[in-house]
Structures are given as C-alpha cells and as structure tokens.
Amino acid sequence: MKRSLLIKQYRNIGIEEEEEFVLNSFMEKGKMGNLVIVIGENNSGKSNILDALLAMGNRKINMDRDATNLRYEAEYQKPKLVLKTENLEESYGIILQGESNDFVCEFPMNGRALETSEAVTVGEEICASVAQYGYGHFSTIKQLLNAVTTNKDKLEALKREVEEVIQNTVWQNDNRSLNGVNRIVWEEVVSKREDWKAYYSKNRVALAKKVYKEKYGIDLVPQVLRYDEKKITQSMLHCSPSDIQRSSFMVTLFQDLKVKIEDVQTAYNDFRRTDNKGVLQKLERSLNKKLKKVSDKFNRVYFFGDENYKFAFCLESGRIDLSIFRGEEPMNLDYQSLGFRWFFNLYFNLLCTTELHEGDVIVMDDPPFANLSVNAQPELRKALKEFAIRNGVSIVIATQSPFVIDLDYLDELRVVLLKDNRVHIENDFSAIHHEDPNSLAAIKRALTVNQSVLLDEDKQIVFVEGITDYNYMVAFKNILGEKYAKLCFLPIGGIGNRKAADYKERQLAISKELKRFQKRNPILMVDGDSPGEDMKKLNKDSALKVFTLSEVDEKFKEIEDLFDKKDKDKFKLEKKSSARSAQLKTYNFEKNGVEKETLANFTKLFDHIFAIND
C-alpha cells in the first residue's frame, strides 16, 4: 500500500516515462504521518518536484512554466500529474493534466464499463427496444451497426455511441428524469445490468470519495500547503494601537480570532475620548475569551512534553501585548527551545488560519537547516517528524544538509538525480550501485559528502540484506535501550538469487564493496538460507565478517522468526513487507507491547553481534 505522485512531462521530469515520487509507504487509518526528505545536488530538480506537488494542491498546471522545453513535439507538451493510492487489489487516482484546472478521478467501483466486444449486441438491443417509435437520436447507432458489418474500424465509434446512451439513461434514472424512449431503453436494456448502473452513475465520484474516506480515513483530494518560515520574535508580540495593521503577526492573530482591527482601534479611540479604562478592560476580556480557543488548538497539536501553554492579551493605553505562559510562568519567546520556536512560527504562519486534516501535505521548499548548528539540525528534523506523525500529515522538505539525515530512518529519503538534464527519482534507498555499491552511494552523491560525515566513527556498522531486516533491527535497537545505540544498520538490497546467471559474480562484487569499510570492522548479517551460507563461505577468511541468523539460534532462518507467534499475529507478519515493517518501526513497536520472547530473541541477536568483534 502506498500513495505516490506520478509525474510526466512536467518541466524536466518524466519526459519519456513517468517518474514516481512516493509520499506514503503505508496508509493505515491514524498511522499515516510521514516525513519525506528530498535530497540532491544543486539544480538537480528538487524544487520542480515540490512545485509539482503544489500544482496538485492548486489544481493548476501552468503551461507557460510547467510544459517541458526539452522536447517541443506536440506529444511531449502534455504535462500530467497523478496522485495515486494503490495496493495489490485496487488503486485510486486523481489526475491533473495540461490546461485543465480540475481533477479527473480514477477509482475502483463495483461494476464495469461496456466491453468493445459487447457493442454490437447491446447496440442491436437498444435499436430493437425503440424500433416501433422510430430511431430518432439513436439513428447514429443504427448507421454504425450497418457499417460495422463491412468495416470493423467502426467498432470503437459504435462502442462510444452505445456507451453514451447507457450513461445518459443511468444519469436520468439517478435524477428521476427518465421519459419517452429513454425510459424504454432503461427498462428493457440498461436496468438489467447491475455492473453498468454502478459504473456509469453520476454519483460515482462522490461515492468513491466516501468509500476512500471510510477505508483510509483521509480525503481522496488532500490539501497541499506551502510553508515558508517567517521567524516571530518576542518584540513582534506587542505593538501600539495605531500600528496593528503594520504588524503581520497581529494581523494574522486577529484574523484567527475573527476580530476586526477597526473595532479594536475604535475601542481605543473611545477610551481616549472618554478617559474610561473600563473600555479597554471590556475589550481585553472579550479578546482573551476568544484567545482561549487559540491556546486550546495550540496545545492540541503541539507535541513537546506535557506542558500546557496559554496566551493572554494585556491592553494598555499605548500598547497591545500578547503574553505566553507555560502553566503560570511567563515565557520569553526568544529564549525557548528550537523545537518550540519552530512550532510557534509554524502555528502562527500557517496552522492558525488553516485547518489541517489527516492525509494533507505540507511542502517546505527551503527549511531553515542551513542557518542552524550541526547539533540543532537533527533536533528540528525530529520536531518535523513528530509533528507529522502526531497530526497524520506528510511533510515534504528539500535539503542538502547531511546532518538532517538519520541513518535509522533512511526510508524518509527520496534521492533526486539529474541525467542528461532529466530528473530521476530514487525512492528505494537500499539499491547497490556498482560504481559505489554501498547503500549510502546515492545519498553521498546527492549531498556531495563523504561517508565520514554520515557515519559516526563510534558506530558499529552492520549491513543487512534488505529493507525489512533493516527496519526491524532499527526498531528493536531503539526499544532495547542505550546499550545497543552504537549499532548502525544499513541495508544492501539483497545478496543475489542462486538461479540468476550472475549470482556468484554478484556476491563477489557485494563482498568487495563492503570490504571498503574494513577500517570500521564491517559485519554482514544474512538469512540462514543457501545464499546466506554461500556468502558466509565466500568471506570465510576476509575482512568482512559474515554471520547467518541460524548461528544465533537454529530456529532463526529469517528475521520474522525472531518474533513470538503472538507478535506475528498481532503485527500481521505472515508476509514479508518493507512498507509494513517501516510502519511498525514508526508507530507500533513499544517495549511493553512486545512479547518477552521477542525481546529476548532480539537481545540475543544483538549480543551476538557485539561478540563478533570482541
């Protein structure tokens, strides 16, 4: 299950074949929040991807700006964006194409369209049903039926005409407006086909949206919002009554309170005219009553700790102040944590005037990472992810900072590469590249950094076969505590298939590349199957230490074998799934929610890893 943006012929993206940008790898109700980090070299096309997302949100492709200039043939001047949700059984899509300013929807429904092979039979039934009344506006079908006997090329035209009749009668029946020969066609032909009644219903889109909302808990068409951070400082929390209009913060706040600035200024004029402080006191009480709703919303979506924040106006004769309190203690905004200030800016620049819903997308084209210290950047990344998870939204950011990348969450990354001036998007972070085949190759190229920036020298590198192994190992490393924090797991995308012609060469190439990390005492964990045993034998006397899961316990053949049966059932692990493992890593695994046997098995595995280099 995933939700992706498919991009075709949009600027320099998807010129020959569409490019996929994965927004969500999992789509379970209440567990959809996600941070997506777009990385790439300068001018690689990161901003074009974000603009494509925003075009979906605005329901508008700008042909002057968004049509490609890499090919000028007419067939290449048709930019197309599709936001698609799909699983093995079904898919839903909303399509924005060319100069259209609205979506076309594709979705699974009960029923099906008219098949081309049915066109002649159904056309004959329609004509037979109305024959005694004259063919009237069905005469085109009659003519095409005569023509198709000698010219099969007319079959598609006949199908289109018959399909239009079916659709019109279904719509008229939905609207209770059937009359004349249309009623005859409905009763004798169309109403007998339940598949057509569902497929051609005019209410089909509304019904699809309803079904989608019930299934996934989000709207088929999400909001896509751009957020450009505007820093708010302590000095901006106050102003004189005459300067309210010049204070962007106060203007936004009063808009959220649904208070007209003119009314505030009128009250101040009344105060000055009457010299009656009660006028300001009355206004202050009214404003603070409205402000409580803002405080409540702020606390509802804020995620740092259990503190309760509240805001209060203080109206003086020449000054309007907004104060912030944590509990009963007043706060100076400038002295608060990076996370709090970031959220305060987000709230008053975006959230107080926009109601977020689960499934919405927030695009950040230029987040403030470059202006932060190396230590502060991971803190802000964590704040972004926690906010996304708590509110069920996808936050998409573009960056070139390596310090934002968390090696425990490589599934957040989308790597943008530019080849022949065309954008290519890598959603699968574990692919091994032969020119630089370790799993960080694409990341390093995108950020133009060496591996020492990404990998802490104190970490023990443990390569694992695939994404599923990686997600589970990271999840239980975090669950089991500080003792295992120095382990750094990296996926390598498999060790080959015995049936493949290049199987031995692939294992040799993988081994050679992983040995590049010999100064870091690299370890490779493989399944207890035949390819795993082959890889272990190949590296018996090499710098790469390979061990199989079976060495830890003969019951362990693959990573799922470490789970207690109750956990396998609870977490639905009967099928190996990278998306499911990523979701469980992000949402479900907590120490008190996992069986003791599962915890003991992963502890045994991690202790085995430590023992290898002792």
Side-chain angles (χ1 to χ4, degrees):
M1 170 59 68
K2 64 180 176 179
R3 183 171 63 157
S4 304
L5 180 67
L6 307 179
I7 309 172
K8 188 169 185 181
Q9 296 174 7
Y10 181 89
R11 300 184 188 175
N12 62 342
I13 309 174
I15 306 305
E16 275 73 36
E17 296 182 359
E18 69 184 15
E19 288 285 331
E20 180 183 34
F21 180 80
V22 177
L23 269 172
N24 300 84
S25 297
F26 38 85
M27 295 286 292
E28 188 176 333
K29 277 185 183 180
K31 296 176 181 176
M32 205 170 297
N34 192 34
L35 175 63
V36 178
I37 301 176
V38 185
I39 60 174
E41 299 178 50
N42 280 331
N43 299 315
S44 60
K46 300 187 297 294
S47 294
N48 286 347
I49 293 170
L50 302 192
D51 285 348
L53 278 168
L54 289 164
M56 290 296 292
N58 296 328
R59 302 189 180 206
K60 181 67 177 178
I61 291 175
N62 185 326
M63 291 297 291
D64 292 335
R65 182 188 62 201
D66 298 334
T68 185
N69 59 9
L70 297 177
R71 298 287 298 268
Y72 291 106
E73 299 93 326
E75 61 267 30
Y76 289 93
Q77 298 297 304
K78 299 175 182 178
K80 181 180 179 182
L81 304 171
V82 182
L83 188 62
K84 177 169 281 192
T85 303
E86 59 184 334
N87 59 27
L88 295 176
E89 291 79 34
E90 62 184 15
S91 69
Y92 290 78
I94 53 174
I95 303 167
L96 191 66
Q97 187 163 14
E99 296 179 339
S100 172
N101 60 359
D102 207 348
F103 297 123
V104 174
C105 296
E106 288 183 348
F107 37 78
M109 295 291 294
N110 292 327
R112 61 179 179 83
L114 175 76
E115 301 284 352
T116 303
S117 59
E118 300 175 296
V120 172
T121 301
V122 176
E124 290 173 344
E125 290 177 358
I126 289 172
C127 289
S129 69
V130 300
Q132 59 180 311
Y133 302 101
Y135 297 115
H137 58 275
F138 302 109
S139 58
T140 302
I141 293 178
K142 184 66 174 175
Q143 293 169 7
L144 287 169
L145 282 170
N146 293 332
V148 80
T149 57
T150 57
N151 185 356
K152 297 299 182 185
D153 290 342
K154 298 291 184 180
L155 190 58
E156 282 299 324
L158 173 61
K159 180 196 170 188
R160 288 195 295 272
E161 290 294 327
V162 171
E163 202 164 27
E164 184 176 347
V165 170
I166 295 171
Q167 179 174 282
N168 286 339
T169 55
V170 170
W171 284 14
Q172 288 175 12
N173 182 68
D174 288 345
N175 295 333
R176 304 178 190 275
S177 59
L178 278 168
N179 55 59
V181 291
N182 285 333
R183 179 178 291 279
I184 301 297
V185 173
W186 168 260
E187 292 175 348
E188 296 191 14
V189 182
V190 179
S191 67
K192 299 174 183 178
R193 294 286 297 267
E194 293 297 326
D195 51 353
W196 291 345
K197 286 192 287 184
Y199 186 85
Y200 291 104
S201 171
K202 195 169 187 177
N203 300 322
R204 189 166 169 253
V205 173
L207 181 58
K209 288 180 178 179
K210 181 174 180 291
V211 170
Y212 185 90
K213 180 83 172 188
E214 290 172 350
K215 183 173 293 187
Y216 300 112
I218 64 172
D219 292 328
L220 180 61
V221 183
Q223 289 187 103
V224 182
L225 307 167
R226 179 193 289 276
Y227 174 58
D228 296 312
E229 185 176 38
K230 299 171 185 174
K231 292 185 179 179
I232 302 170
T233 63
Q234 181 68 27
S235 64
M236 298 168 68
L237 304 187
H238 61 80
C239 67
S240 67
S242 59
D243 286 339
I244 302 176
Q245 293 282 14
R246 288 190 284 272
S247 169
S248 59
F249 172 77
M250 287 294 181
V251 168
T252 300
L253 180 56
F254 280 119
Q255 283 177 348
D256 190 31
L257 296 174
K258 296 180 172 56
V259 173
K260 293 180 180 179
I261 292 175
E262 295 84 355
D263 293 343
V264 176
Q265 291 173 329
T266 297
Y268 266 93
N269 289 336
D270 194 25
F271 157 69
R272 284 189 287 267
R273 180 177 58 81
T274 63
D275 196 27
N276 182 357
K277 185 69 179 290
V279 174
L280 297 186
Q281 291 172 341
K282 178 182 178 182
L283 176 59
E284 183 177 291
R285 286 195 299 271
S286 174
L287 291 177
N288 283 329
K289 185 176 180 181
K290 294 176 182 291
L291 197 57
K292 185 178 184 303
K293 293 182 179 179
V294 175
S295 301
D296 290 345
K297 182 179 177 182
F298 185 93
N299 285 304
R300 189 167 62 249
V301 295
Y302 186 56
F303 49 85
F304 291 102
D306 300 321
E307 298 96 339
N308 188 54
Y309 297 89
K310 66 179 180 181
F311 309 125
F313 273 115
C314 179
L315 305 187
E316 299 293 338
S317 58
R319 178 164 159 151
I320 299 174
D321 272 283
L322 178 76
S323 297
I324 310 171
F325 295 88
R326 183 193 291 117
E328 298 301 320
E329 290 299 314
M331 298 168 53
N332 185 308
L333 182 59
D334 295 344
Y335 301 152
Q336 303 312 305
S337 70
L338 170 69
F340 182 88
R341 281 182 282 129
W342 172 81
F343 180 76
F344 191 88
N345 294 338
L346 174 72
Y347 184 87
F348 285 103
N349 287 327
L350 178 67
L351 301 184
C352 72
T353 55
T354 304
E355 189 69 31
L356 280 183
H357 304 285
E358 190 171 8
D360 287 347
V361 180
I362 299 176
V363 171
M364 297 184 178
D365 197 1
D366 188 21
F369 292 119
N371 300 321
L372 300 177
S373 69
V374 170
N375 292 331
Q377 290 183 45
E379 181 186 341
L380 180 52
R381 178 213 153 269
K382 183 180 179 182
L384 287 167
K385 189 173 186 73
E386 290 182 355
F387 178 81
I389 289 172
R390 179 161 181 149
N391 292 279
V393 299
S394 294
I395 296 180
V396 183
I397 65 173
T399 184
Q400 280 192 287
S401 172
F403 305 107
V404 177
I405 294 173
D406 187 331
L407 293 183
D408 284 349
Y409 291 93
L410 290 170
D411 43 301
E412 295 171 350
L413 300 183
R414 309 291 181 265
V415 181
V416 181
L417 304 172
L418 197 65
K419 301 176 184 176
D420 300 323
N421 207 28
R422 287 157 168 76
V423 168
H424 298 276
I425 303 167
E426 293 190 4
N427 297 287
D428 182 358
F429 59 86
S430 70
I432 291 182
H433 299 269
H434 288 295
E435 71 276 9
D436 187 6
N438 72 75
S439 59
L440 300 178
I443 302 171
K444 286 155 52 180
R445 285 199 307 274
L447 298 173
T448 62
V449 299
N450 60 43
Q451 68 186 33
S452 63
V453 174
L454 293 168
L455 288 171
D456 187 330
E457 292 185 0
D458 293 330
K459 299 280 188 180
Q460 169 63 62
I461 298 174
V462 182
F463 292 102
V464 296
E465 284 196 43
I467 300 171
T468 303
D469 296 344
Y470 162 78
N471 284 328
Y472 290 145
M473 295 295 275
V474 167
F476 281 92
K477 176 190 78 170
N478 294 333
I479 285 174
L480 292 170
E482 189 65 27
K483 178 181 177 182
Y484 305 109
K486 70 176 291 186
L487 295 174
C488 177
F489 298 101
L490 296 172
I492 64 169
I495 56 174
N497 186 330
R498 264 190 164 186
K499 295 180 181 179
D502 64 344
Y503 171 65
K504 291 184 177 179
E505 290 79 4
R506 178 171 171 77
Q507 287 208 338
L508 280 168
I510 292 169
S511 300
K512 178 182 177 182
E513 296 304 331
L514 297 187
K515 288 173 191 174
R516 288 184 179 186
F517 288 81
Q518 58 183 318
K519 293 182 180 179
R520 306 290 298 274
N521 297 313
I523 296 171
L524 172 61
M525 182 185 86
V526 294
D527 288 346
D529 55 9
S530 298
E533 293 291 347
D534 291 342
M535 182 62 89
K536 182 182 175 182
K537 290 176 184 176
L538 181 63
N539 290 278
K540 183 178 180 181
D541 298 314
S542 79
L544 177 65
K545 298 180 176 67
V546 181
F547 78 95
T548 67
L549 285 172
S550 300
E551 289 177 50
V552 182
D553 191 305
E554 63 181 11
K555 300 191 298 293
F556 303 158
K557 298 297 182 184
E558 57 182 5
I559 196 74
E560 286 79 9
D561 294 334
L562 277 74
F563 288 87
D564 179 274
K565 186 179 185 308
K566 290 180 181 178
D567 283 336
K568 283 185 179 179
D569 294 339
K570 178 167 55 176
F571 299 124
K572 302 175 183 177
L573 305 184
E574 64 277 1
K575 291 183 180 178
K576 188 179 285 286
S577 167
S578 59
R580 181 67 176 158
S581 64
Q583 183 189 41
L584 290 170
K585 177 180 71 173
T586 304
Y587 283 96
N588 287 57
F589 286 146
E590 295 179 3
K591 191 168 185 177
N592 59 5
V594 178
E595 295 296 320
K596 289 182 179 179
E597 183 180 344
T598 302
L599 293 173
N601 288 340
F602 276 94
T603 300
K604 187 176 183 180
L605 172 57
F606 292 157
D607 289 342
H608 180 86
I609 292 171
F610 277 147
I612 290 175
N613 281 328
D614 284 348

